[in-house]
Structure formats: structure tokens, C-alpha cells
């Protein structure tokens, strides 16, 4: 909270409101991770932060440029973390260059920007043009901070940025790029070239990684300065070299320094190669495999494949992590782009002239060239080729400085080709050569091209067709990924004996292969989205299969009974298999099954999960997911009865005791259905999803779930109440529960998200809404109200725009991070006059032109006063009553915290404060005046002699709301109120049968 000061021109209430807004922004938006030891970064961003907070209404665009590894991304993330909370919306999109190269990559980036700014978890974007329009609409509605990292193409700029003129005034845009002139100069307001670190800063950063302290240890200063000098102030090189030298003796340091002396200072790639060359041979091979094929793959998936390549993968990965060459994020292998480029450059240097002589081919045009011209050799260990990633689907690009093959071969290849204009090279920053485009016919490639590749281990194809015999196909394949395969079954002569992973997504297969096929090494089989597949393969000769994915095989009708013999199966994914009729009983034999997903299996006639008690306890299942369009097992049994089918036994459905996640969304489960679901044994269940089911309340059986943390009741449109949930529950999602009326009995640590709950009137212990006729008569005395019969005839028009409620101070989960302006608005609703309880304060809203004279202390402009508590006739203070009369301009905008009439009380003597921004707000029509009456039961905190300050304000929205009068009265215990007609506040003073707007504006965290 540094940097926020209370100026003499501000009211304290406004100052507090600003602090609350800043805190709310920080809670609802997550900071980005930054590596430790950010040496010198504050000095570099100081003037950028000043520019971001200059208060200008102009849309500003800053380009941050510099070479790879110099710290552009780190700088951008630091700037974002330091400034996002002062903007109404923000988004920081990283690795744009890499993501945009993926299929639908630009659309993915657009979805992220929209999700960040609009605070919605999922955004639908079908194409780039639609995304541009949606982003323009989103950024035109509020002041945003948009950070775009690693842009290198104008198409990326157009897709994720659109038109600068569409941004809301005062918005700021920051772009990081290796190309300073990526944008038209007239669009750019500022250009910042990232500086290298100074000598002292470099030494400090290097020392942290080499010695774990900000300076070298004794005896290493001279050598440290030598290394730092060779690094040229590049942070990434300093970190990598520091990590590689950590714990090494002086001999290693001296040898490393001698190596550095022959490498030019401006050659970052050569600096990074020093860390690579310090690896053992096996670790070097592992590094190159990962750099070329396994970045962003699951670590466990990569380990199992690479272990079969005679590598010590787990130890090797740790060695790479120790040298800052690799990291693991959310279970995936992650490599800095510069490090990955370095690895691929090492492979490229194996043969500048002929890519077929390199060990790995990852660039699609090179791979197509080698296969088309049969120039592959036995050195090739891996190939990636996706024809859709090659522009024009029939052209390859040849780097002019890398003539592919001998001149004779090239001329022979060009006989049937056409020259095109040179384009920018596909290579990274380490190569900037131009290329000639050579058109290649689109006929199928031939299998003979693979005959020389006897060491081929990784073959990743997509949209590629092969013709010919597979008898001489490479026999050492460990990973075969062949998307969009246009065959009805795999050829019988293809050698798959050494395969660890077989990925045939989006294929035209009707059956995987004919007859049994013994594949002892196969651990991963993915046939998802194979829409013509009718039955699963025979699993009897796949003894070591661990993961079987048949997701969205929409014509699959049968799972082979032999699946029960796959003893090591841990994952079975049948999501979206809409024609699947049954799950074999042999599934019960899978004692190591951890994840079972039968989401969308809407035609199941029998499921083998109604297990005997002794067997269900033995299955180590961690997840059973049944989300979209699923009828669970007991529902199926009920459907049999409705269809007059004979069922010999109907028993409660039990789930494995080790279950952690259970999703039963959209299963048409009513209250009675849960009587047949046994949850008593689910002692490890943490996540329960009952969304989109016709229940009126959560099932009683969930009280047995002692470890339950997350309960989702999203879109349970018949849900009327939530009560009695386990004490450990942290989150309840009740979004779109349009019939929900009451939430009570929740644990104190529990947070609730309830957007669009139009009938919600009670949320213990936070608020309660009830008709005035049900309000305790004593409260009316404290407000000096009478003639309640007439009050009952006053109608209110309610509009519920509920923001969020979460009492966990540790932060909001992702689905709670919603801004007020994204909430769907519901039509008005008419109710009788209402009383509202919130945090010990009672409020109601009535129409009145003037404040009643009964409120004997009147606050003059700026509606602030102070007084000393007294006790006349020894009567102790019971509480305070307030009346605030205001007008409001009609507006369709949602009223949110910081923009509402509010009352603040400050006990200066006891340092106690109270504040009320009404959750429900009366909105008068036209030029009418609204009166907010409130009673504050705070007498126990007001003692004789205490000095009290009271103030009223309308927050920041002074144009919409205008306070006309504010009054107060102290209520004493045992005080005889004067109820004569002269001072009584008669409802007859109000216009009769006048409709009033009551706006539910917000629910704020406790």
C-alpha cells in the first residue's frame, strides 16, 4: 500500500474507499510469478511506472525491445504486477510468438485476453476476426492495462491488439519484442530498449546463483569477474553460468573461463552452450530430446518414453533443472525460449548443408523436404511434420545459406518446382537468413523414405499420408503420434513392438488393428476423436498399458472385455462416447485405476461401478468424472423400471473410498435420486460437482464428506436453500441458482459465489431481507416509524446484481474473480416494502421529500460532525439511528462499492470504526427523493465521554448521487419515546402506491 497518501483536500472516507478498492483489486487479480534476485529492475522501471500512472486520458503504447535473454519478459511481468491494480481491467499475455505458431494459436491468445479483462473463465471465439471485434468491445468499456510479450509478427499485433483507437481513454499498452519496428511509428508513444546489467549488478546476480549470496566467496572474486565480463550483462547468461559453476572447484572455474575466452561476448548462444557442454553425455542427449520434442509435455509422459531410450531420465531432468536449463511447471516440462533455441541450434550445427544428416528434425518444411527427397540418414532420431503448419500446404522453405544437399540433388529437385519471393527465415534470433520457397506436389509421401532411419525413435506426424510397405519401417520407434490418419486400420506389417506411446487422435480408424497385437512396452494409447471407431482393440496383449484415452469416439459402442487384464491401467477416459452401451464388468478388476471419466456417455445401459463392498474398497480410483449429458448408474436402474424392464436388484450406488474428485454435473439427479447414492465411505473426497441437477437442497449425505473443500451447485435452477455442509468446505459455487432463497449454517471459513440468484433473501451471517411487516416492532420505534398498514401498500421494484462474497482472506479462487460489470443483469422484480439486515445494521428505503424532525442532530455540508457521548438521566446508549435523503439520476450502470451513499462512524477514543455501504439501495424515479433509514446497534461500543465522528458521502459517483439532508439521533436504553403526532414519522407523508427501485449492489468480503 506504499504510495497512497491522505491529502488535505480529501475526506477520510474517500481515502479509505481508495484503499478498499486497491485491496479488492489485488485480491481479485493474481500477480505473475517472478524469479528471485531481480537486480536493478526497480531503477529500470521507475520512469515506466511514472508513465503508467501519469493520469493522462490518452491511450499510451510502449514498446519494450531488446535481444533474447536480456530480461524483456521479466521486466514486463514486474511492471504488470506493480500497476495492474490501478486499472479497471488488465491482461498480461506471455509467449505470444510461440503460442501463435500453434494451431488456432491466435484464437487462444484472444480468448486469454478476453477472459482476463472480462473476468470470465471461458470465452468463445471461433475465428481471429471475431476475436478482434470482441477485444475491441472489451477494451472500449473500461481503462485497461494490456501487456503483450514476445510479439514478432504484425499479424499477431492485429489479432491481439486490434486498433489502438478502440481503447478506453487512459488505457496503457506495453509490448515486448525483439523487433523494434514491429509497429508503425505513429502508433508508438514510447520505445524502451532494455539495458544490460552494469558490472556491479551483473556480479551480484551471478553471485546469487553461483554462491547463494550477493557477493563471491573468498578466493573466487577474480574468476567471478572474468565470467561476468564474458556474459556481457545478459541476465539469462549470468543465471545459467552461475548455476553451472555452483559448487565447482577452482580447476573447473579456470577451465570454464578459458573456454569463455574464445567465445565472442555478443554470442549468447555460445555462452549458453558452455552450460550444455558441462553436462554428461547422457544428459546432453536428454537435453536435446527435450528441446526438440518434449517442451510442454507432461513430465511423467516424457520420463516413461525417454527411459526406454536407454537414458536415466529422472536424474537427468534434475541435472538440467540444477543448471537452469529446464524447469517443471504444473507437471509439464518448461524451457526458456532462448535455451530451447540454443538446443535446436546445436542440432542444426550438426550439418549446415543437409538437414537429413542431423539427429533431429522439428521444422515442418525441413522434415517434408527430407522425406520427399529421401535424404534421411541413420543419424535421425526424431521427426516432426504437420502439413497444416506449412503455408499453402504444398511449399517448403529452403534457407539460402543452408543448401539442402549437394547442388546436383537440389537442381534435380527444382526441375518440377517454381521459385517464389524470399521470406523471413523460420530460424530463431540466432539466424536471420532468407529462404526461397519451393513448391512441392501434394501427393503422399512413401514409406521407403524411412528405411535409412534405423535410429528413429520419435515420429510425430499430422495430416500426412504414407504409401508403400511398412515391413522395413524403423523398429526402434518409442513414440508414434499420427494425427488425422486416413486409414481404416493400422497396417498389419508396421513394426510397433518398441512403442511406449501411440497417439492416433482424429483418425479415420474403424478398428485399431486386426486381431491381437503383442505390444509389451506400450503404456499410452490415445484414440480420442476417432469418430469412425466402433470398438476398442483387444487389450489382452497390452500388459503394461497405463493410460487409455477414447475421448469423443462418438461411434464407439463397445469396450472389449479384455480391458480387465490390463492390471496397471491408471486412467480410462471415455468422455463423450455417446453411443457406448456398456462398460465391461471386468473394469472392476482394475485395482490401480486412478481416473475414470465417463462424462457424456449418455446411452450407458449398464455400468460396473455398483460394486460389492469388499471390491469397491480395493479399487484405487482417484477420480470418477460424469459431467455433460450423463445418466449415472442409479438413474439407469430407475429408467429400466419406467420402461417396465425387469431388474433383479436395485441397491445403493457406492463409490471407491479413495475418491478425491466426483463430478455428477447435468445428470438429472433430483432429491430422491441421492437417497440411492452412498457417500459415507468417501473420506478423501475434496471436490464434488452437482451442477445443473434438479435438486432443491444439497443431499444430506454430503455431511459425511469430512474432507470436502469445493462444492459446485452451479445452475441448479430448482435449488431453494443451502445449509448443513461440512465444516471444511472452502468454496460453494451457487452461480445461476435462480430459485435460491436462503443460505445458512455455512462454516465461517466458507466463501460463496452466487451470481444471478434472483430470489436470494438471506445469507447468514451476512445479510437478510424480509418484508417490513415481519420486522421487529422495536426497530420501528428506534426509527420512529408508525402506521405500518400503509407501509405494506408501498411496492418496491427489486433488481439483484450480486457481485461476490468470499470470507477467506487468503484470496479468491479463479471462478470468483469476477468484476461487477460482467454480471448478467436480471429483470426487475416487485416486492412489498423490505427491511434489510447487514452486519448488525437495519436499513430500509422510503420515498420522502424531507428528513423528519425527529432526527435531532443534523449534519451540514460536507455532512460531517463530531460529538461526545453522554448519558442523560443515567440512560445508557443503545444505538444510533440515521436518516439520509438523496436523489439519483437514472442509469443502466451497475452500482458498485465505492459509488454508493455510505455512512461512516469513528470512535476516536476507542479506535473503532463502522461503515455501511448498503447492499440494497433504493433508486428514486425522476426527481423524487429517497430516504435511507438505518439503525445501528452499537451501543456497547459507545461509552460516556467517547468522542465520535460521523460522516456521510456518495463515494466517487457525485454526478449520479446527491445527498440533500443527513440526520442522526442517539437511542438510549429505557428511554420513553415521544409518540405524539407532531414528532411521529407518519407514512401518510409518502405518496401512496409509488413504486421504488431497490438495487442489490454488492456483497463484499468480510
Amino acid at each position: 500500500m506504499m504510495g497512497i497518501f491522505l491529502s488535505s483536500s480529501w475526506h477520510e472516507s474517500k481515502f479509505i474507499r481508495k484503499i478498499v478498492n486497491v485491496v479488492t483489486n489485488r485480491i481479485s487479480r493474481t500477480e505473475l510469478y517472478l524469479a528471485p534476485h531481480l537486480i536493478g529492475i526497480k531503477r529500470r522501471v521507475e520512469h515506466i511506472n511514472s508513465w503508467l500512472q501519469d493520469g493522462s486520458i490518452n491511450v499510451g503504447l510502449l514498446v519494450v525491445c531488446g535481444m533474447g535473454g536480456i530480461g524483456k519478459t521479466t521486466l514486463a511481468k514486474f511492471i504488470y504486477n506493480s500497476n495492474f491494480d490501478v486499472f479497471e481491467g488488465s491482461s498480461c499475455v506471455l509467449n505470444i510468438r510461440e503460442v501463435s505458431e500453434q494451431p488456432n494459436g491466435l484464437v487462444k491468445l484472444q480468448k486469454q485476453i478476453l477472459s482476463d479483462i472480462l473476468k470470465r473463465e471461458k470465452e468463445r471465439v471461433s475465428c481471429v476476426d471475431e476475436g478482434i471485434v470482441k477485444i475491441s468491445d472489451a477494451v472500449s468499456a473500461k481503462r485497461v492495462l494490456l501487456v503483450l510479450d514476445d510479439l514478432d509478427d504484425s499479424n499477431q499485433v492485429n489479432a491481439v491488439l486490434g486498433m489502438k483507437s478502440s481503447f478506453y481513454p487512459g488505457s496503457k499498452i506495453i509490448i515486448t519484442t525483439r523487433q523494434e519496428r514491429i509497429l508503425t511509428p505513429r502508433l508508438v508513444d514510447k520505445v524502451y530498449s532494455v539495458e544490460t546489467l552494469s558490472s556491479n549488478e551483473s556480479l551480484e546476480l551471478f553471485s546469487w546463483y553461483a554462491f547463494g549470496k550477493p557477493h563471491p566467496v573468498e578466493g573466487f572474486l577474480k574468476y567471478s569477474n572474468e565470467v561476468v565480463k564474458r556474459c556481457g550483462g545478459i541476465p539469462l547468461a549470468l543465471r545459467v553460468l552461475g548455476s553451472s559453476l555452483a559448487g565447482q572447484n577452482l580447476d573447473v572455474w579456470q577451465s570454464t573461463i578459458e573456454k569463455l575466452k574464445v567465445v565472442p561476448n555478443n554470442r549468447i548462444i555460445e555462452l549458453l552452450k558452455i552450460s550444455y557442454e558441462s553436462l554428461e553425455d547422457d544428459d546432453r542427449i536428454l537435453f536435446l530430446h527435450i528441446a526438440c520434442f518434449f517442451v510442454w509435455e507432461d513430465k511423467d509422459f516424457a520420463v516413461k518414453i525417454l527411459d526406454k531410450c536407454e537414458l536415466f531420465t529422472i536424474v537427468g531432468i534434475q541435472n538440467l533443472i540444477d543448471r537452469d536449463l529446464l524447469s517443471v511447471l504444473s507437471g509439464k516440462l518448461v524451457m526458456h525460449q532462448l535455451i530451447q533455441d540454443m538446443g535446436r541450434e546445436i542440432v542444426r550445427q550438426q550439418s549446415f548443408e543437409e538437414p537429413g544428416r542431423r539427429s533431429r528434425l522439428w521444422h515442418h518444411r525441413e522434415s517434408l523436404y527430407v522425406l520427399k527427397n529421401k535424404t534421411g540418414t541413420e543419424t535421425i532420431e526424431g521427426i516432426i511434420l504437420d502439413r497444416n503448419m506449412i503455408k499453402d500446404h504444398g511449399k517448403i522453405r529452403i534457407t539460402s545459406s543452408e543448401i539442402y544437399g549437394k547442388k546436383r540433388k537440389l537442381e534435380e529437385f527444382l526441375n518440377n518446382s517454381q521459385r517464389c519471393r524470399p521470406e523471413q527465415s523460420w530460424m530463431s534470433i540466432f539466424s536471420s537468413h532468407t529462404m526461397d520457397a519451393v513448391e512441392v506436389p501434394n501427393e503422399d509421401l512413401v514409406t521407403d523414405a524411412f528405411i535409412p532411419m534405423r535410429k528413429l525413435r520419435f515420429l510425430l506426424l499430422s495430416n500426412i499420408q504414407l504409401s508403400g510397405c511398412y515391413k522395413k519401417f524403423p523398429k526402434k520407434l518409442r513414440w508414434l503420434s499420427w494425427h488425422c490418419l486416413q486409414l481404416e486400420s493400422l497396417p498389419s506389417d508396421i513394426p510397433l513392438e518398441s512403442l511406449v506411446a501411440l497417439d492416433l487422435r482424429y483418425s479415420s480408424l474403424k478398428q485399431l488393428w486386426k486381431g491381437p497385437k503383442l505390444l509389451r512396452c506400450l503404456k499410452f494409447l490415445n484414440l480420442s476423436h476417432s469418430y469412425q471407431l466402433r470398438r476398442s482393440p483387444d487389450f489382452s496383449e497390452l500388459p503394461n498399458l497405463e493410460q487409455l484415452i477414447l475421448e469423443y469416439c462418438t461411434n464407439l459402442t463397445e469396450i472389449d472385455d479384455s480391458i480387465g487384464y490390463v492390471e496397471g491401467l491408471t486412467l480410462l477416459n471415455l468422455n463423450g462416447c455417446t453411443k457406448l452401451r456398456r462398460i465391461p464388468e471386468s473394469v472392476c478388476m482394475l485395482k490401480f485405476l486412478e481416473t475414470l471419466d465417463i462424462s457424456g456417455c449418455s446411452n450407458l445401459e449398464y455400468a460396473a461401478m455398483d460394486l460389492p463392498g469388499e471390491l469397491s474398497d480395493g479399487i484405487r480410483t482417484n477420480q470418477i468424472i460424469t459431467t455433460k449429458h450423463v445418466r449415472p448408474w442409479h438413474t439407469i436402474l430407475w429408467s429400466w423400471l419406467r420402461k417396465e424392464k425387469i431388474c433383479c436388484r436395485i441397491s445403493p450406488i457406492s463409490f471407491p473410498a479413495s475418491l478425491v474428485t466426483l463430478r455428477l454435473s447435468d445428470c438429472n439427479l433430483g432429491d430422491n435420486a441421492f437417497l440411492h447414492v452412498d457417500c459415507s465411505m468417501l473420506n478423501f473426497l475434496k471436490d464434488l460437482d452437482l451442477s445443473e441437477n434438479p435438486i432443491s437442497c444439497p443431499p444430506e449425505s454430503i455431511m459425511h464428506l469430512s474432507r470436502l473443500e469445493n462444492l459446485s451447485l452451479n445452475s441448479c435452477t430448482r435449488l431453494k436453500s443451502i445449509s448443513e455442509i461440512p465444516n471444511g468446505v472452502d468454496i460453494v459455487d451457487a452461480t445461476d441458482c435462480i430459485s435460491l432463497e436462503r443460505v445458512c449454517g455455512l462454516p465461517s471459513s466458507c466463501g460463496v459465489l452466487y451470481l444471478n440468484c434472483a430470489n436470494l433473501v438471506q445469507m447468514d451471517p451476512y445479510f437478510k431481507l424480509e418484508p417490513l411487516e415481519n420486522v421487529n416492532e422495536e426497530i420501528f420505534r428506534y426509527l420512529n416509524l408508525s402506521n405500518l398498514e400503509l407501509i405494506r401498500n408501498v411496492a418496491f421494484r427489486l433488481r439483484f446484481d450480486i457481485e461476490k462474497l468470499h470470507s477467506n482472506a487468503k484470496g479468491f479462487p479463479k471462478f470468483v474473480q469476477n468484476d461487477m460489470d460482467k454480471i448478467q443483469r436480471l429483470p426487475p422484480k416487485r416486492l412489498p416494502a423490505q427491511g434489510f439486515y447487514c452486519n448488525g445494521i437495519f436499513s430500509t428505503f422510503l420515498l420522502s421529500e424531507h428528513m423528519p424532525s425527529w432526527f435531532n442532530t443534523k449534519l451540514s455540508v460536507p455532512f460531517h460532525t463530531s460529538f461526545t457521548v453522554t448519558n442523560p438521566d443515567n440512560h445508557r446508549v443503545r444505538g444510533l439511528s440515521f436518516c439520509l435523503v438523496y436523489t439519483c439520476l437514472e442509469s443502466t450502470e451497475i452500482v458498485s462499492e465505492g459509488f454508493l451513499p455510505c455512512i461512516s462512524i469513528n470512535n476516536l477514543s476507542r479506535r473503532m470504526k463502522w461503515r455501511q455501504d448498503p447492499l440494497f439501495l433504493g433508486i428514486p424515479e425522476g426527481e423524487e427523493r429517497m430516504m435511507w433509514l438505518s439503525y445501528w446497534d452499537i451501543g456497547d461500543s459507545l461509552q460516556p465521554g467517547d468522542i465520535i465522528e460521523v460522516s456521510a458521502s456518495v463515494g466517487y459517483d457525485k454526478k449520479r448521487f446527491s445527498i440533500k439532508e443527513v440526520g442522526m439521533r442517539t437511542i438510549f436504553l429505557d428511554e420513553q419515546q415521544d409518540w405524539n403526532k407532531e414528532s411521529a414519522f407518519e407514512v401518510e407523508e409518502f405518496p401512496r402506491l409509488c413504486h421504488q427501485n431497490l438495487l442489490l449492489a454488492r456483497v463484499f468480503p468480510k
Side-chain angles (χ1 to χ4, degrees), residues 358-414:
R358 301 173 192 164
S359 59
R360 300 158 183 86
L361 298 173
W362 62 91
H363 190 266
H364 306 285
R365 295 184 180 90
E366 288 185 322
S367 300
L368 181 59
Y369 171 83
V370 170
L371 294 179
K372 190 68 184 178
N373 293 276
K374 303 179 184 179
T375 59
T377 65
E378 66 177 353
T379 61
I380 295 179
E381 298 184 52
I383 296 177
I384 298 177
L385 175 55
D386 182 353
R387 190 181 288 273
N388 282 348
M389 296 301 292
I390 304 173
K391 293 182 180 179
D392 301 327
H393 286 219
K395 298 180 180 180
I396 65 172
R397 308 258 174 221
I398 300 180
T399 305
S400 59
S401 64
E402 305 168 25
I403 305 301
Y404 295 168
K406 302 295 184 180
K407 183 177 180 181
R408 178 181 55 81
K409 292 183 178 179
L410 180 60
E411 291 176 349
E412 184 181 79
F413 173 74
L414 293 176

Side-chain angles (χ1 to χ4, degrees), residues 121-136:
E121 188 166 351
K122 293 184 179 179
E123 283 296 324
R124 293 184 178 179
V125 178
S126 59
C127 65
V128 172
D129 289 339
E130 180 186 358
I132 293 174
V133 174
K134 286 190 172 184
I135 289 175
S136 295

Side-chain angles (χ1 to χ4, degrees), residues 747-901:
S748 59
S749 62
C750 181
V752 180
L753 175 68
Y754 51 102
L755 308 180
N756 300 337
C757 298
N759 290 294
L760 188 62
V761 296
Q762 182 176 350
M763 175 70 182
D764 286 344
Y766 301 102
F767 71 84
K768 178 182 178 182
L769 186 70
E770 65 179 357
L772 280 182
E773 61 183 12
N774 297 334
V775 173
N776 189 311
E777 183 177 339
E778 187 177 12
I779 292 180
F780 285 101
R781 290 175 45 218
Y782 299 149
L783 295 172
N784 206 22
L785 287 172
S786 63
N787 207 342
L788 300 185
E789 291 297 326
L790 290 177
I791 289 181
R792 293 191 186 101
N793 294 328
V794 177
F796 288 78
R797 182 159 59 93
L798 292 175
R799 195 170 98 206
F800 290 80
D801 293 326
I802 304 179
E803 184 184 7
K804 59 194 174 188
L805 173 65
H806 194 275
S807 59
N808 187 351
K810 294 182 179 179
F812 297 96
K814 186 173 183 180
F815 68 80
V816 180
Q817 298 176 9
N818 298 280
D819 282 344
M820 178 65 75
D821 58 1
K822 68 143 282 182
I823 299 174
Q824 180 182 351
R825 299 171 188 179
L826 298 174
K829 187 173 185 178
R830 295 178 180 272
L831 291 175
Q834 301 289 301
F836 171 56
Y837 304 85
C838 182
N839 297 328
I841 301 170
F842 172 83
S843 297
T844 190
F845 292 85
L846 303 171
L847 289 172
S848 177
E849 289 296 319
H850 301 286
M851 180 178 65
S853 59
W854 181 79
F855 293 92
N856 52 14
T857 301
K858 293 180 173 54
L859 281 66
S860 57
V861 178
F863 305 111
H864 180 276
T865 190
S866 61
F867 64 95
T868 301
V869 177
T870 60
N871 56 340
D873 301 326
N874 292 322
H875 287 159
R876 188 162 57 88
V877 175
R878 173 67 184 265
L880 301 175
S881 293
F882 289 91
C883 176
L884 189 150
V885 179
Y886 61 93
T887 59
C888 175
L889 297 178
E890 184 63 29
S891 174
T892 59
E893 295 181 0
I894 296 176
V895 181
S896 59
E897 184 179 1
F899 294 85
L900 304 170

